[in-house]
Amino acid sequence: MKKIFTSTLIILGLINITFAQQRSQSGQSQNNQRTAAAPATAAKEETKINTNIASRTIVPESSVITNHSVNINGKAVPYKATTGTLPVWDEDGKPIAGLFYSYYERTDISNKESRPLVISFNGGPGSASVWMHIAYTGPVVLNIDDEGYPIQPYGYKDNTTSILDVADIVYIDPVNTGYSRATSKDVPTSKFFGVRADIKYLAEWINTFVTRNNRWASPKYLIGESYGTTRVSGLALELQSNHWMYLNGVVLVSPTELGIERGTVMDAALRLPYFAATAWYHKMLPSDLQSKKLTDMLPEVEKFTVDELIPAIAKGGFLPMAEKQKIAAKMAKYSGISEKVILQNNLDVSTNLFWKELLRDKGFTVGRLDSRYKGIDKSASGSSPDYNAELTSWLHSFTPAINMYLRNALNYKTDLKYNMFGPVNPWDRTGDNSGENLRAAMAQNPYLHVLVQSGYYDGACDYFNAKYNMWQMDPSGKLQDRMSWEGYESGHMMYLRKPDLKLGNDHIRAFIEKSLPKAGVPAKF
């Protein structure tokens, strides 16, 4: 039998009979005081799990509580960390999965009713919520260099910029990510793996979490990164329409296209400002552009893209050759790749080709999610890189840290493998109307605000496409006062660069404070 010893451990009923032999006996407790602790992992009181059986079976409902303190912007913030699992229920009230979560609550706040709650997801789909958890908004951050590259020894430290001073945070791992799993192989994957299915079951889970933790009165925020932006955009309307849960804000970090149609013309044209930013970083632009600050140079490229490139590509093969060559010359100037390559591709240079081509003569590729990173391919020939240089770098530093942190600092012990990326294919992408869903939620809820954060060097979810999302989401122009965009001189995970870690969290902190209505101010237009 799996025994759990703790002074604050809560086991809330392992419903599924499959796990009957793993049920904990209530009433068993043991005080466990840490005698010496490093600053980033110190716990005033810490629970202890004694795993005396080897098991890779999900326990759909459990929790472990530890107590900590972190210094944020010069002030001590005490907090309680709860790690565990809560069930996903089917239509008959049977648990079909257990979702792993990490929940941080500031403990010197007496009034939880006015305390904001941030609900955090990463993307993939198939990615755990590890990235923002231990590198952005949470109470600890990775031990990495100031630009985000791995260093040894691996580990983590206090996050002095965390938003925990202004909001409680819960990080959620969807099914097959992190420690989250279905309760049985017989549970259809269609319950979880798809745009609509993902939104539906996670909304149900959030309802359970908010109810269990008595957070209905709290102002609520969703934050999602990458595919997580598709997820939280859909959740905003799902929670509002089917759970009657109204939000104060949604933060979109490195957003996807949110189901907003581009077409071949927009797909081809909207990449150019990202190309220009990357070329500027690698010093591949002409001196007149290279000598400017990045944010002073990009408006010129954006204007060319909207005013000249989109109309030119729209004409296709009927664009006169002289005009085509003129456009190609400007594209070459802004992108750092040759006019010849651009003409060979009829003004439509794919991101794969750009990542391979920009530094081809120097013997390097550039990263997809963060084009500051360089890779080395087996051969200089070809039309795409062998691997994603930035992703392998990130996995290098994140994987040891999250496994160490959950087990040693938060005292969550399990033999399950923590899936940085889990199997979620096939993923049903039909029905992605997430951008329109977010617009509808904003139109129906005057309290709801949106913040978009983009890295200029992100080639997977590029910054100019994020701006395009906002333009298309709000064709009436009536939501502009509740939508804002911020750019950072880094990539997809802009927070890995030390200056942007602070800047990004400061922007979220200001967004939360701005979007909290004054007492008694009604939600009306």
Side-chain angles (χ1 to χ4, degrees):
M1 176 177 291
K2 181 177 180 180
K3 296 182 180 179
I4 299 180
F5 299 89
T6 174
S7 58
T8 50
L9 175 66
I10 306 169
I11 298 297
L12 299 173
L14 309 182
I15 306 300
N16 194 321
I17 194 169
T18 305
F19 310 102
Q21 292 185 338
Q22 293 181 319
R23 296 189 184 214
S24 299
Q25 295 179 358
S26 61
Q28 294 180 326
S29 66
Q30 171 180 310
N31 290 328
N32 179 41
Q33 300 292 334
R34 181 184 290 266
T35 56
T41 60
K44 294 178 182 177
E45 296 178 3
E46 185 177 351
T47 65
K48 179 180 179 182
I49 293 183
N50 180 10
T51 48
N52 56 9
I53 61 170
S55 174
R56 287 197 167 188
T57 307
I58 184 67
V59 177
E61 190 162 353
S62 63
S63 65
V64 180
I65 295 173
T66 53
N67 291 282
H68 311 257
S69 181
V70 61
N71 186 295
I72 300 175
N73 291 327
K75 296 182 179 179
V77 176
Y79 66 94
K80 177 174 71 174
T82 304
T83 50
T85 52
L86 275 180
V88 175
W89 316 99
D90 68 8
E91 295 81 357
D92 299 321
K94 176 184 176 183
I96 56 174
L99 292 198
F100 180 75
Y101 67 95
S102 301
Y103 177 36
Y104 300 96
E105 301 170 85
R106 185 168 178 168
T107 52
D108 60 349
I109 301 293
S110 58
N111 183 8
K112 287 287 185 181
E113 293 184 358
S114 60
R115 174 76 171 165
L117 172 66
V118 174
I119 301 165
S120 183
F121 293 97
N122 274 97
S127 170
S129 291
V130 54
W131 315 99
M132 291 194 292
H133 183 181
I134 62 168
Y136 194 11
T137 52
V140 303
V141 288
L142 289 176
N143 187 28
I144 51 180
D145 83 350
D146 287 352
E147 292 298 315
Y149 290 88
I151 58 175
Q152 291 182 330
Y154 303 116
Y156 46 88
K157 55 193 175 185
D158 283 347
N159 183 3
T160 59
T161 72
S162 170
I163 62 169
L164 189 56
D165 58 335
V166 297
D168 295 338
I169 320 165
V170 58
Y171 300 90
I172 304 165
D173 291 337
V175 171
N176 272 9
T177 74
Y179 292 137
S180 300
R181 302 289 191 274
T183 57
S184 167
K185 291 181 179 179
D186 297 330
V187 178
T189 58
S190 60
K191 294 279 188 182
F192 315 115
F193 301 158
V195 175
R196 289 298 309 146
D198 181 73
I199 291 168
K200 182 179 179 181
Y201 90 82
L202 289 173
E204 292 282 352
W205 189 94
I206 290 170
N207 189 312
T208 300
F209 177 86
V210 167
T211 301
R212 290 278 189 93
N213 289 279
N214 196 26
R215 299 307 297 260
W216 274 97
S218 300
K220 299 171 194 67
Y221 295 80
L222 299 178
I223 181 171
E225 179 180 78
S226 194
Y227 184 83
T229 61
T230 299
R231 177 175 286 138
V232 299
S233 295
L235 278 169
L237 187 63
E238 179 73 13
L239 288 169
Q240 188 169 300
S241 298
N242 294 318
H243 297 270
W244 313 285
M245 186 183 294
Y246 288 74
L247 305 172
N248 285 67
V250 173
V251 182
L252 307 178
V253 181
S254 304
T256 65
E257 295 179 350
L258 302 181
I260 297 170
E261 184 63 37
R262 261 72 171 167
T264 56
V265 172
M266 290 299 177
D267 269 343
L270 294 176
R271 304 176 192 129
L272 184 63
Y274 152 71
F275 289 172
T278 299
W280 181 90
Y281 177 82
H282 290 288
K283 297 180 170 51
M284 298 295 288
L285 295 182
S287 59
D288 62 323
L289 296 175
Q290 198 67 57
S291 63
K292 295 181 179 180
K293 294 172 67 173
L294 176 66
T295 50
D296 292 337
M297 179 271 294
L298 286 175
E300 178 181 333
V301 186
E302 295 177 8
K303 186 176 188 306
F304 166 75
T305 300
V306 173
D307 294 347
E308 300 181 55
L309 184 55
I310 291 173
I313 295 177
K315 294 176 183 177
F318 285 80
L319 181 69
M321 181 52 68
E323 190 175 345
K324 188 174 187 177
Q325 289 174 332
K326 180 182 175 182
I327 293 292
K330 280 196 172 182
M331 289 181 69
K333 176 183 178 181
Y334 293 138
S335 68
I337 60 177
S338 72
E339 183 178 340
K340 179 181 178 181
V341 169
I342 291 168
L343 287 170
Q344 285 173 341
N345 288 274
N346 298 314
L347 311 182
D348 184 1
V349 177
S350 71
T351 47
N352 270 319
L353 178 57
F354 176 78
W355 300 324
K356 182 76 174 184
E357 182 68 25
L358 181 66
L359 301 181
R360 192 191 297 267
D361 292 344
K362 298 180 182 294
F364 295 105
T365 62
V366 298
R368 170 178 175 262
L369 293 161
D370 192 329
S371 295
R372 297 175 302 151
Y373 290 71
K374 294 188 287 188
I376 299 175
D377 279 0
K378 183 177 182 180
S379 171
S381 64
S383 59
S384 63
D386 290 350
Y387 65 99
N388 297 124
E390 77 298 329
L391 188 55
T392 189
S393 175
W394 296 341
L395 289 167
H396 190 162
S397 52
F398 273 89
T399 310
I402 190 63
N403 280 279
M404 294 159 62
Y405 175 61
L406 293 176
R407 192 171 191 86
N408 299 335
L410 302 187
N411 207 33
Y412 193 85
K413 307 290 198 301
T414 178
D415 284 325
L416 280 169
K417 180 174 72 172
Y418 190 89
N419 283 342
M420 304 293 284
F421 294 99
V424 297
N425 291 317
W427 189 270
D428 183 0
R429 295 186 178 271
T430 59
D432 181 2
N433 297 308
S434 50
E436 169 57 21
N437 291 346
L438 182 54
R439 184 210 64 79
M442 292 184 72
Q444 297 169 28
N445 177 8
Y447 279 158
L448 180 55
H449 292 66
V450 171
L451 168 65
V452 180
Q453 297 184 309
S454 296
Y456 291 113
Y457 308 128
D458 181 0
C461 300
D462 70 81
Y463 87 91
F464 201 55
N465 265 285
K467 288 186 174 182
Y468 184 80
N469 281 346
M470 296 172 67
W471 302 340
Q472 301 306 307
M473 271 178 56
D474 181 27
S476 71
K478 295 177 181 177
L479 305 178
Q480 288 185 45
D481 62 333
R482 289 186 283 140
M483 301 175 74
S484 56
W485 179 90
E486 299 287 352
Y488 307 88
E489 292 192 33
S490 43
H492 196 73
M493 298 183 192
M494 69 285 297
Y495 42 83
L496 295 183
R497 180 172 175 263
K498 187 175 181 180
D500 291 322
L501 170 65
K502 175 172 171 44
L503 186 60
N505 275 321
D506 283 348
H507 285 151
I508 296 174
R509 186 178 288 105
F511 172 73
I512 290 173
E513 292 172 349
K514 177 184 176 182
S515 58
L516 289 173
K518 291 183 174 62
V521 174
K524 68 178 183 178
F525 295 114

